[in-house]
Amino acid sequence: MRFLNAIDINIVDIRVEKQDIESEGGKYKIYSSHKMNNSDELVEIPFYEESSGTQKMFAMYGLFRDALEDGMPIFIDELDAKLHPLLIKYILTMFHSEDTNKKGAQLIYTAHDEYTLNKDIFRRDQIWFVEKDSESVATLYSLAEYKIGDKKVRNDASYNKDYLAGRYGAIPILNEFDIIGEINNE
């Protein structure tokens, strides 16, 4: 509950209800309770009605806690999916902080978020790109080793702006497409 409230989710309680084995949807039903209009009135809703971001953070809490507690790496595909960029920064701060990450846990993730792609959050050696060629074969490379011409990327470069401008590769090749014409020609 403290974690959910720390990330601005106003859930005040979680209730888990054990289901009969034959019932649909699994062995448990989860409900969340919210305070209404600064009163003591609580409204309980099925957890599946919470936003997908809230559901994702609820599910990932145990992974984050275990990784930070045990000093182990965790791998997450598309960490930024369904989460606000400031929440991503909050998560990264937990892993970068010596106060919360005393045992050296590592968060290794993929994302399309360019908001956190900057020198204030990452060193060049912490940023890796994946680029697919014309045959969809992927190549992984580090920003620390990447060269523009014969020069490595500077520590003070604008990583996010340069990435979106295509300076480092690893961006989609977008072709013009007439969706209205396609619809009309079905």
Side-chain angles (χ1 to χ4, degrees):
M1 294 308 311
R2 288 192 312 266
F3 176 69
L4 292 176
N5 286 289
I7 58 174
D8 196 29
I9 297 173
N10 71 344
I11 296 173
V12 296
D13 195 21
I14 302 259
R15 183 172 65 86
V16 178
E17 185 178 282
K18 189 168 183 162
Q19 299 293 301
D20 293 333
I21 293 178
E22 284 110 35
S23 70
E24 284 188 43
K27 296 179 183 177
Y28 300 96
K29 272 191 165 179
I30 302 172
Y31 297 90
S32 56
S33 295
H34 297 261
K35 268 192 177 181
M36 298 306 295
N37 302 328
N38 296 326
S39 73
D40 289 336
E41 179 186 356
L42 292 180
V43 174
E44 185 177 78
I45 63 171
F47 201 74
Y48 67 81
E49 290 184 12
E50 293 288 350
S51 73
S52 53
T54 296
Q55 291 178 39
K56 183 173 182 174
M57 289 305 295
F58 179 78
M60 289 194 310
Y61 168 74
L63 294 172
F64 296 151
R65 186 197 63 225
D66 291 349
L68 292 167
E69 194 172 83
D70 298 334
M72 63 186 209
I74 58 173
F75 298 83
I76 301 174
D77 188 25
E78 307 251 353
L79 175 64
D80 58 328
K82 303 175 184 174
L83 299 179
H84 192 281
L86 291 177
L87 187 49
I88 301 298
K89 187 175 179 181
Y90 181 87
I91 294 165
L92 296 174
T93 300
M94 286 192 307
F95 280 84
H96 285 159
S97 169
E98 291 179 11
D99 293 332
T100 55
N101 191 0
K102 293 177 175 58
K103 295 186 178 178
Q106 289 185 304
L107 173 61
I108 301 162
Y109 70 96
T110 63
H112 294 103
D113 163 48
E114 91 290 341
Y115 175 75
T116 58
L117 188 60
N118 65 64
K119 64 184 179 306
D120 297 328
I121 297 175
F122 291 111
R123 298 183 317 259
R124 290 176 305 151
D125 65 311
Q126 294 174 310
I127 300 170
W128 290 72
F129 296 107
V130 176
E131 181 162 43
K132 288 193 294 186
D133 66 16
S134 60
E135 296 179 10
S136 293
V137 175
T139 303
L140 177 70
Y141 53 92
S142 167
L143 183 59
E145 299 301 319
Y146 190 79
K147 291 185 179 180
I148 300 173
D150 63 343
K151 294 184 180 179
K152 288 187 177 183
V153 175
R154 294 171 42 128
N155 285 331
D156 62 348
S158 301
Y159 307 149
N160 52 0
K161 290 178 186 174
D162 292 346
Y163 166 67
L164 288 177
R167 290 192 74 187
Y168 310 138
I171 58 173
I173 299 169
L174 304 173
N175 297 306
E176 209 169 296
F177 178 74
D178 179 11
I179 193 166
I180 301 301
E182 187 72 18
I183 292 169
N184 292 334
N185 291 327
E186 296 180 309

